[in-house]
Amino acid sequence: MILIVIILLVMIITLLMVYNISIHKKIQNFNNLNQKITSLNILQDFMNTLSEVTSVDEKIKKINDILIERYEIKYSTIVIYDGAEYVVKASNVEEKHWNTLKNLQNEELFKDSIQTATPKYITVEKEGERLPYQKMEFGRAKSAMFFPLYVENVYIGYWIIEGSRPHEFDHVDTTILEVIRNNIVSVLKTVENQQVIEHIVRDDKFSSLKSAEYLFGEGKKVIDQHTTSTVCLFKITNLEEINEKFSRKTGNEVIIKISEIVKENLAEEYIFVRYMGPKFAIVFSGIDKNGVADFMKELKQEVETIQIEPVEVITQKTKKNKLEPAMPKINIVLSTYYKGTALEGLTRKLEEYLDEAPIEENTINYL
């Protein structure tokens, strides 16, 4: 009888163990699934951030904020090499500690991590200690994970997360953190072209206007605050003739005068840039092209009444006979831009139209 009871107990215990193992596996699978869902949601947040009309630095800061909020990370810092020095691109650590955080590549304990492209985990054992790289801080961070960042096998910087407790990251799923690291790299790679555009924006010497690249970076932030806008490109069709007949300095004076007239008549919220050579671009944010047409018609009339006295015309012929003033002619093309579409594709289409139009064309056109 006792033997039967023992056998029954053993069977019950065995069944409970199997059941517990089954439950544990289900919980583990659920956690894994939940982590995957969380990662997908965060990845979607990353993609949404990429599509926002913000600068590269703002995108990186937003991504860092997402990491801190969604993964409940105490401190998160992204440091990137900009070609000249290491720069803290995003961090929720007080700025007084940034000098330390942007020089971690010089710390001996992280050099192996950088060379092998593998994460490095460090922690203190008790409250009174501090992490090796900390210079002037004792109570802020007690554990840290360092992730070197590579784009196509080229080291570009690092991401470091820090905790306020010893051994805080002992049981963290490093697989998820690796996925996050890869997502950060993907974002940095994606915004690389935008960063190039932002850094090559220049002020034109003669017109004092921004170059065309401004449209596709900072300018687009303003433009995309509206669902639709009107893009206008206009070309000084006889600028080359003015340069040849009078002088290049006379042509420069034409550019200066036209720029001044347009700026005087244009509201501050509209974007006006020197697009290239004799071509200029205006974006009327949130304005329908029918409303723009009347404005451009009046502006065209005013521009074409300009009379620029020749500058430094030194040929024998012009010494004897005074030349008439230079008078510009402009050709204008308008089109509608829709938020979220390729602005550079639209301006390229308008530019092609102006370049291919007959030299004598001198109107307002719609595409």
Side-chain angles (χ1 to χ4, degrees):
M1 185 68 179
I2 294 174
L3 183 60
I4 294 171
V5 171
I6 291 172
I7 292 171
L8 285 172
L9 287 173
V10 170
M11 289 175 65
I12 291 169
I13 291 169
T14 303
L15 288 170
L16 288 172
M17 288 176 64
V18 171
Y19 177 75
N20 284 337
I21 291 171
S22 174
I23 292 296
H24 178 72
K25 285 183 177 178
K26 288 180 180 178
I27 291 172
Q28 199 169 32
N29 288 337
F30 175 78
N31 288 336
N32 290 338
L33 179 62
N34 191 48
Q35 286 178 342
K36 288 178 181 178
I37 291 171
T38 300
S39 295
L40 286 172
N41 288 338
I42 292 174
L43 182 58
Q44 182 61 53
D45 288 342
F46 282 5
M47 295 303 103
N48 291 341
T49 299
L50 283 179
S51 66
E52 290 177 354
V53 283
T54 54
S55 68
V56 170
D57 287 346
E58 288 172 330
K59 288 181 197 284
I60 296 173
K61 287 174 185 175
K62 180 76 177 288
I63 285 165
N64 200 51
D65 290 341
I66 291 170
L67 296 175
I68 293 164
E69 179 185 350
R70 300 294 290 274
Y71 283 103
E72 297 181 351
I73 296 170
K74 181 69 176 177
Y75 301 109
S76 177
T77 301
I78 298 172
V79 177
I80 302 298
Y81 184 67
D82 68 357
E85 61 179 346
Y86 286 85
V87 179
V88 175
K89 287 293 186 180
S91 182
N92 65 328
V93 177
E94 287 184 86
E95 196 167 342
K96 65 182 180 181
H97 301 306
W98 285 13
N99 191 56
T100 297
L101 290 170
K102 72 178 183 179
N103 286 293
L104 297 183
Q105 74 283 346
N106 297 324
E107 296 289 335
E108 198 63 42
L109 78 159
F110 294 127
K111 287 183 178 178
D112 183 60
S113 173
I114 293 170
Q115 290 172 359
T116 59
T118 55
K120 177 79 172 182
Y121 175 37
I122 56 174
T123 183
V124 301
E125 295 300 323
K126 51 188 178 181
E127 285 295 337
E129 299 175 347
R130 65 178 177 178
L131 296 172
Y133 63 84
Q134 294 177 322
K135 309 299 180 188
M136 53 177 284
E137 45 189 322
F138 289 90
R140 186 180 65 81
K142 299 298 181 182
S143 53
M145 289 195 77
F146 177 92
F147 297 88
L149 303 176
Y150 282 79
V151 171
E152 297 177 355
N153 297 321
V154 177
Y155 174 65
I156 60 164
Y158 49 86
W159 171 46
I160 183 169
I161 60 172
E162 300 169 293
S164 57
R165 301 188 309 275
H167 296 278
E168 186 164 336
F169 303 123
D170 285 5
H171 304 293
V172 169
D173 186 346
T174 55
T175 305
I176 297 296
L177 292 175
E178 287 281 2
V179 171
I180 297 172
R181 190 263 298 270
N182 293 338
N183 287 338
I184 292 173
V185 169
S186 296
V187 169
L188 292 172
K189 188 176 179 181
T190 304
V191 300
E192 185 178 6
N193 290 337
Q194 181 185 344
Q195 197 163 29
V196 170
I197 288 172
E198 289 176 1
H199 288 167
I200 63 176
V201 173
R202 296 289 183 269
D203 288 338
D204 178 60
K205 179 180 177 182
F206 299 108
S207 65
S208 299
L209 300 172
K210 298 290 184 186
S211 59
E213 291 79 14
Y214 179 79
L215 278 180
F216 314 121
E218 287 296 308
K220 200 166 185 293
K221 290 169 58 177
V222 178
I223 298 165
D224 277 354
Q225 291 175 7
H226 306 271
T227 305
T228 60
S229 299
T230 298
V231 178
C232 167
L233 248 66
F234 70 86
K235 179 180 180 180
I236 308 173
T237 56
N238 62 339
L239 184 62
E240 187 175 347
E241 179 188 338
I242 290 171
N243 288 339
E244 291 176 356
K245 183 178 179 180
F246 302 97
S247 67
R248 186 167 290 276
K249 287 191 175 183
T250 305
N252 292 338
E253 286 299 314
V254 169
I255 289 171
I256 292 168
K257 188 62 179 175
I258 289 177
S259 301
E260 288 175 351
I261 289 175
V262 175
K263 281 188 285 188
E264 286 171 4
N265 286 276
L266 206 61
E268 287 186 5
E269 62 266 27
Y270 302 142
I271 295 170
F272 179 35
V273 300
R274 186 170 184 185
Y275 191 79
M276 189 179 295
K279 295 184 284 287
F280 296 78
I282 308 173
V283 180
F284 298 87
S285 306
I287 304 299
D288 181 82
K289 67 181 179 182
N290 293 326
V292 171
D294 291 337
F295 171 80
M296 289 306 301
K297 184 178 180 181
E298 293 177 8
L299 189 63
K300 175 177 165 60
Q301 290 173 349
E302 184 172 352
V303 165
E304 293 183 344
T305 60
I306 295 173
Q307 296 188 19
I308 302 294
E309 291 298 321
V311 180
E312 294 187 5
V313 182
I314 58 173
T315 64
Q316 291 300 317
K317 182 179 180 180
T318 54
K319 281 182 179 179
K320 296 176 182 177
N321 305 298
K322 182 176 175 61
L323 289 172
E324 294 179 356
M327 299 184 68
K329 298 290 181 183
I330 61 174
N331 196 18
I332 300 169
V333 61
L334 306 174
S335 190
T336 301
Y337 165 74
Y338 298 92
K339 178 180 177 179
T341 59
L343 179 59
E344 63 277 16
L346 177 60
T347 55
R348 193 182 308 116
K349 182 177 73 171
L350 299 182
E351 181 185 20
E352 287 172 357
Y353 177 85
L354 289 175
D355 287 342
E356 294 171 5
I359 192 71
E360 66 275 7
E361 184 174 285
N362 182 231
T363 56
I364 298 177
N365 306 279
Y366 305 88
L367 292 185

